[in-house]
Amino acid sequence: MDDGGFVSSESGWSPNPEFFAKRKYVKTKWGWFPVEDAFGGAGKPAIGGEWSLVDLDGNLVTNKQFEGKWTLLYFGFARCPDICPSEMVKVGKVMDTLAKEHPELAKNLQPIFVSVDPARDSLKALKEYGKDFHPSYVFLTGSPEQVQLMAKKYRVYVSKADETEDGDYLVDHSIVIYFHDDTGDLADCFTQSMRPSDVVEKIVERMTFVPSF
């Protein structure tokens, strides 16, 4: 709890629960201190949560099934002409680099692709799409309602652009790779401007991090 400004609980505190998750605290011989993470003093953004989707075999998949693994989560769509393929290739390079330089970390890291275009990204379409990318990827889709709910929890911007004369269209969406720890908590976020080497550096830093107290 917060007694006159002094935190005395592991449950933590948030300056604005709508936008920031509770900052976790740990008790040390010097008192209660915030658990160190990649997000600074205010704590991590209040994004993420429980979700359920469908894998390429038509099986129901939830966030709980990835507990025990670190994950790289990306939202995109199979007909994206450039940005999605570029980001997914980047993740593939990250996985290959980790497998070569930090094999134990690579074994505990799972990349996940979530379609924001469930109307066109059928299981068959995603299976074909997945052949072009790193074999460790897990591809997920779901009903429009399932996808919308998950996108909302991650504050992912998704907007269907105007259709062309032949009925084709693009989907505008946030370009972020969400990095989760092995408990499912958000550990970091990687933007489009980051190079594979930048992402590898951050992943190694977080996966090998040992608190100073």
Side-chain angles (χ1 to χ4, degrees):
M1 61 180 290
D2 187 348
D3 298 321
F6 294 96
V7 176
S8 56
S9 170
E10 293 181 356
S11 62
W13 171 83
S14 170
N16 188 332
E18 182 179 356
F19 297 102
F20 295 96
K22 286 186 176 182
R23 190 86 189 266
K24 294 181 179 179
Y25 284 75
V26 61
K27 191 173 185 179
T28 74
K29 62 181 181 181
W30 302 284
W32 289 89
F33 284 84
V35 175
E36 298 177 60
D37 58 34
F39 298 97
K44 66 185 65 177
I47 59 176
E50 296 187 352
W51 50 263
S52 62
L53 293 171
V54 178
D55 67 15
L56 295 186
D57 294 319
N59 299 315
L60 183 69
V61 176
T62 74
N63 57 290
K64 296 290 186 182
Q65 289 168 248
F66 295 99
E67 290 184 355
K69 284 258 188 180
W70 293 66
T71 60
L72 292 168
L73 174 65
Y74 180 75
F75 293 84
F77 65 109
R79 299 196 186 192
C80 180
D82 44 30
I83 295 176
C84 291
S86 176
E87 289 298 283
M88 293 179 69
V89 167
K90 178 166 72 177
V91 170
K93 291 179 179 178
V94 167
M95 295 301 297
D96 287 340
T97 299
L98 288 171
K100 181 179 179 180
E101 300 179 1
H102 304 276
E104 292 307 311
L105 299 186
K107 290 177 183 177
N108 203 33
L109 181 63
Q110 176 64 62
I112 303 170
F113 175 93
V114 173
S115 170
V116 294
D117 187 18
R120 295 184 298 181
D121 286 349
S122 64
L123 300 184
K124 181 179 179 181
L126 284 178
K127 284 181 181 179
E128 287 299 313
Y129 184 64
K131 292 177 181 178
D132 294 330
F133 301 103
H134 200 275
S136 63
Y137 260 109
V138 168
F139 288 84
L140 301 175
T141 185
S143 68
E145 293 75 19
Q146 285 176 304
V147 172
Q148 289 168 11
L149 180 60
M150 185 176 180
K152 183 178 180 181
K153 288 186 175 183
Y154 277 87
R155 301 179 185 268
V156 175
Y157 168 78
V158 180
S159 178
K160 177 183 173 182
D162 294 336
E163 293 188 12
T164 61
E165 292 183 358
D166 60 1
D168 196 15
Y169 60 87
L170 296 177
V171 180
D172 295 326
H173 61 88
S174 306
I175 308 168
V176 179
I177 299 169
Y178 300 92
F179 180 44
H180 301 82
D181 66 20
D182 53 2
T183 69
D185 282 347
L186 187 67
D188 211 335
C189 294
F190 307 136
T191 61
Q192 184 184 8
S193 63
M194 296 179 69
R195 300 168 299 176
S197 58
D198 299 327
V199 176
V200 168
E201 182 179 349
K202 289 289 187 179
I203 288 174
V204 173
E205 177 184 331
R206 298 315 305 168
M207 292 185 75
T208 60
F209 176 74
V210 178
S212 58
F213 48 77

